[in-house]
Amino acid sequence: MSPEIVAFFDAATSTYSYVVSDPASKRCAIIDPVLDYDPAAGRTSLGSAARVLEHVRELGLTLDWLLETHVHADHLSAAAHLKHQLGGRLAIGERVTVVQETFAKLFNTGSEFATDGRQFDRLFRDGDSFSIGAIPARALHTPGHTPGCMTYLIGDAAFVGDTLFMPDYGTARCDFPGGDARSLYRSIRRLFELPGETRLFMCHDYKAPGRDHHRYQTTVAEQRADNVHVRDGIDEQTFVTMRRARDAELHVPALILPAVQVNMRAGELPPAEDNGTRYLKIPVDVL
Ligand SMILES: [Fe+2]
């Protein structure tokens, strides 16, 4: 079954968010929504989230699920805000707890922050089924970029998060805490077992050299034929060597510190201090 899919692009972070709906029942999911954040001012804003919200309201959709593919390091999540507005259940992979434990230590969160995933309404295990209206969906654990990464297979469409990028751009970095190039390769090979015509939807597009427009949709067959990092014929060790060499050259993402602090809390800011202000921490000389 084919869900209806509308993509929203956040140019500031090159992130794609999606509204995925069952046209018959008008039930929907929102995947990886973005909360705008100006790091210089320490100010959040709702431009990106408002566009998603308007779309859901205009079409008269009922929100069943807010799905995070992983704890993003490049943008803040608007899932908490959208849940307050639209209801629905907020879900992520169960291995979010590994990410929470790692970053609870880094940010020295103390007893204020639980690392058992309780901030989310549902923690998906590999193979868990759910649905959007009458459209069957499945959660697949696809670690590598982070240990908790999930792919959501909804009807004939897979939302791969940062597992794959467009074929001409390749794959995501694996050098965050708990990331692992070998796991990513295996996760991708698992996705490549899906039928060739399965539609794949990216979480990011950075425009590969020579391409002047953004793209966000491809298929399993296209990836297997053309992905510059993992097309058929590229073996695990070749991929791992390439991925590690590239990762060693990459800069720390601009928003990793604010983003992870918010996203590990399911899109909520840390609690206000006694003056009523919420703060994000910057660990110095750690990353
Ligand atoms: Fe990511």
Side-chain angles (χ1 to χ4, degrees), residues 70-74 145-146 162 176 203-204:
H70 61 293
V71 175
H72 306 277
D74 60 288
H145 171 63
T146 76
D162 289 1
F176 296 153
C203 185
H204 296 289

Side-chain angles (χ1 to χ4, degrees), residues 175-278:
D175 59 335
F176 296 153
D180 178 51
R182 207 165 285 286
S183 305
L184 183 66
Y185 183 87
R186 291 173 188 179
S187 294
I188 290 169
R189 293 313 306 182
R190 193 172 164 216
L191 292 179
F192 284 1
E193 298 299 313
L194 292 167
E197 65 277 15
T198 306
R199 296 183 289 164
L200 301 180
F201 291 86
M202 308 298 109
C203 185
H204 296 289
D205 184 62
Y206 305 102
K207 287 194 278 196
R211 174 151 58 83
D212 62 0
H213 60 287
H214 286 285
R215 289 186 62 201
Y216 58 88
Q217 183 181 347
T218 176
T219 62
V220 165
E222 261 178 42
Q223 292 280 15
R224 289 185 69 157
D226 296 330
N227 189 290
V228 291
H229 293 170
V230 280
R231 64 180 175 271
D232 285 352
I234 295 179
D235 66 30
E236 183 171 308
Q237 195 50 50
T238 305
F239 172 78
V240 168
T241 305
M242 177 283 306
R243 190 66 263 170
R244 286 185 183 151
R246 278 178 75 96
D247 288 350
E249 313 261 286
L250 297 175
H251 296 293
V252 174
L255 293 183
I256 187 170
L257 292 169
V260 170
Q261 276 172 90
V262 171
N263 298 341
M264 71 182 191
R265 291 181 166 88
E268 298 281 2
L269 293 164
E273 297 196 4
D274 57 10
N275 62 356
T277 302
R278 298 169 186 272

Side-chain angles (χ1 to χ4, degrees), residues 45-124:
S45 55
L46 296 168
S48 298
R51 288 190 290 142
V52 173
L53 188 64
E54 256 167 52
H55 172 78
V56 169
R57 286 192 171 144
E58 257 171 37
L59 267 63
L61 302 173
T62 303
L63 184 66
D64 283 343
W65 292 102
L66 285 145
L67 304 173
E68 294 286 358
T69 52
H70 61 293
V71 175
H72 306 277
D74 60 288
H75 68 270
L76 281 64
S77 167
H81 169 74
L82 289 168
K83 188 179 149 180
H84 295 149
Q85 298 292 315
L86 293 168
R89 293 208 288 159
L90 174 50
I92 198 164
E94 63 167 350
R95 302 268 289 166
V96 69
T97 55
V98 178
V99 177
Q100 288 179 324
E101 274 160 28
T102 302
F103 285 101
K105 282 190 200 112
L106 179 76
F107 292 115
N108 196 29
T109 51
S111 57
E112 162 262 309
F113 176 62
T115 58
D116 59 2
R118 72 177 68 168
Q119 301 85 351
F120 297 85
D121 302 306
R122 171 95 185 250
L123 298 179
F124 282 123

